[in-house]
Amino acid sequence: MPILHHALRLGPLENNTYLIACEATRETAVVDVGFEPGSVIREIRRHDLRVRYLLNTHAHYDHVAGMREVQHEFGGEYWLHPADRPLLAILSEQGAAFGFPPADPPEDPHDLSDGQRLPLGEVSLAVIHTPGHSPGGVCFHLERDLWAGDTLFAGSVGRTDLPGGSFSQLARAIRTRLFPLGDALRVHTGHGPETTIGEERRHNPLVGVEVHLA
Ligand SMILES: [Zn+2]
Ligand SMILES: [Zn+2]
C-alpha cells in the first residue's frame, strides 16, 4: 500500500522529524517535532496532508518541544507511551539542562501500548515498546519501514545515561523485538542517517551479533 514519507532534519541536534501519510487518503502521522515547527507546518501544507496523529517515539525535549505548535495549527491526536509521561511533565526542565528555552507539551495525551495498531487511512502503524533509552520509548512499524526514535541509530544506539535509561533493557529490546522483523527493514532514526536492520544486526558495535568476529 503506497505511503508518502517525508523526512526533515531540524535543529541544533539534527533531529529527524517524519511525516508518514497514506497516499490514497492523505491521512498523516507526524513523528517527533523537537525544533523548527514552522518548517514542519510548511511541509505539511506544501504536500496538502491531513494530520491525524502527532506521535512521539519518546518524551525527550528534542523530540517533543515543537509538537504543540503543529497541533495548534492542524489539530490531531497526540500519542505517547505512558511510561514517558513523567518526562513530559518536566519538558521545560529537560530543555533548561541543555540550554534550550521553555516549552509546553502538546494537549490531551493518549496512551500508546505495545502491539497497538494506529489506523492511518488504508494502512496502519504498529507500536513496539522498546524501553531502554527512556522507559516509554517506542518504535512505529509499517510494512518495510520502522521509525525508531533514539532506540537504534546507524552504528550506535540511544544514550542510556539519562534518568530512566538502561543499556541492558535497550539491548534486549533491540535484539528481541527489532532484529526479528527482518534484515530488509529500513530504519528511520531519531538522529542521523537511516539504516537497515540487517546492517545493524550484523555490524552495530553495541548490539550487533557479528562484531566480535571481524
Ligand atoms: Zn532521546
Ligand atoms: Zn534525541
Side-chain angles (χ1 to χ4, degrees), residues 19 30 33 36-46 48-54 65-78 104-107:
L19 306 176
V30 181
V33 185
E36 301 181 43
S39 300
V40 180
I41 290 167
R42 273 195 303 280
E43 188 78 358
I44 291 167
R45 286 230 177 83
R46 175 159 46 229
D48 194 25
L49 302 176
R50 297 170 38 221
V51 176
R52 175 165 182 184
Y53 303 113
L54 299 152
M67 298 290 267
R68 187 186 178 96
E69 207 169 312
V70 177
Q71 188 184 39
H72 277 188
E73 194 70 28
F74 299 108
E77 296 168 10
Y78 174 59
D104 290 319
E107 290 170 11

Side-chain angles (χ1 to χ4, degrees), residues 57-58 83 99 101 111 123-124 128 133 140 164 176-177 180:
T57 58
H58 64 298
D111 287 343
V123 297
S124 67
I128 306 171
H133 173 65
F140 300 103
T176 66
R177 304 299 310 279

Side-chain angles (χ1 to χ4, degrees), residues 56-59 80-85 87 112 129-132 134-138:
N56 262 144
T57 58
H58 64 298
L80 173 79
H81 193 283
D84 266 14
R85 283 214 188 204
L87 284 169
L112 293 170
H129 185 209
T130 53
S134 71
V138 300

Side-chain angles (χ1 to χ4, degrees), residues 15 57-63 84 87 94 133-134 149-151 153 158-159 162 191:
N15 281 81
T57 58
H58 64 298
H60 284 155
Y61 180 96
D62 60 319
H63 298 253
D84 266 14
L87 284 169
Q94 286 188 58
H133 173 65
S134 71
D150 291 357
T151 291
F153 297 130
R159 60 190 288 184
L162 296 169
H191 303 262

Side-chain angles (χ1 to χ4, degrees), residues 192-209:
E194 66 172 56
T195 182
T196 63
I197 288 294
E199 178 65 24
E200 301 313 315
R201 190 181 60 74
R202 286 190 287 268
H203 303 305
N204 188 296
L206 299 169
V207 293
V209 295

